[in-house]
Every structure is written in C-alpha cells, then in structure tokens.
Amino acid sequence: MQTMEQKRAKYALEQVEAAKQSNIRQKEYKSYASSLPAMIQINGLGQAAAFYRSKGADNNEKGKAYMALYNLLSGWLSKTGQPYEGLDLLTGITKKNMHTYQLAQAEALALLNWVKKFAKAFMEGE
C-alpha cells in the first residue's frame, strides 16, 4: 500500500515525464512549475489556477507549458478522494466551500513540491 506522499510523487513523475515527451518546451515548463507554488501562496489557488488556465489558452510554446501545468493540477485535484473529485479545478473552486478550498490548496502545494523536484531533475534548460 502506498502512502499519499508516494501517490503524489508517482503522479508528479508521470506528468513530468509525459510533458518531457510531448512538444512542450522544457525550459518554460520547469520555470512555470517552479513559480506556481509561490503564486498559490501569494494569490491563492483560485487566482493562480485561473492565471495558468488563461495563459494556457495562448496557442504558443509558453501557452502549452501553462496549460500542461493547469491540467496536471486539475487532474490531481479531481481524482477520487481529492477535494474536487470529478470536477475541473476552476469549477470545483467555484462550487465547493472554503474548507474544501483550503484542503485543495494544501494538496496542490504538496503535489507541486514533487513536480518542481522532478522537473528540475529530468528537464533541460536553465
């Protein structure tokens, strides 16, 4: 049986490896993965998620990296047993209560700790 920390690490590694194999520029992905936790702590999960989702709508290299990270976060927080189970991240944020939001924000930061580490370890760029 895996601990929650192992599950987070496994999901993060799978997502970073998938991003590395896709046509996402690794330098941007690594940079945005590194700055997302600070953005969440400063502005909150909702504002950071909305920012990444809006930047992901841009049809360029940077937009692909933003969208990959938004999808990574949304995918994790909507899994079974997670705060926004069965919902898109922004939908969950707008439909659930403050307690659920706080749980989701803490879970997002725990997951992104792994994402940052794996992006730094496995992706190229500055």
Side-chain angles (χ1 to χ4, degrees), residues 16-108:
V16 168
E17 286 175 339
K20 186 177 178 184
Q21 298 305 319
S22 71
N23 60 350
I24 294 169
R25 288 178 63 192
Q26 294 178 33
K27 180 181 175 185
E28 274 81 12
Y29 187 94
K30 204 161 95 169
S31 173
Y32 303 157
S34 182
S35 62
L36 183 53
M39 185 179 280
I40 290 172
Q41 289 179 327
I42 293 166
N43 301 307
L45 177 61
Q47 291 288 339
F51 176 80
Y52 271 58
R53 178 69 183 86
S54 70
K55 291 298 232 177
D58 296 342
N59 196 16
N60 58 30
E61 295 302 318
K62 291 181 179 184
K64 290 176 187 175
Y66 278 115
M67 187 55 87
L69 287 160
Y70 173 83
N71 288 333
L72 176 148
L73 205 50
S74 185
W76 178 254
L77 294 173
S78 66
K79 282 184 168 290
T80 301
Q82 291 296 332
Y84 300 133
E85 183 175 332
L87 299 170
D88 176 73
L89 177 55
L90 291 176
T91 302
I93 287 170
T94 58
K95 291 191 176 205
K96 298 288 184 166
N97 61 31
M98 187 59 152
H99 177 71
T100 304
Y101 178 85
Q102 290 170 331
L103 289 173
Q105 183 165 295
E107 186 60 37

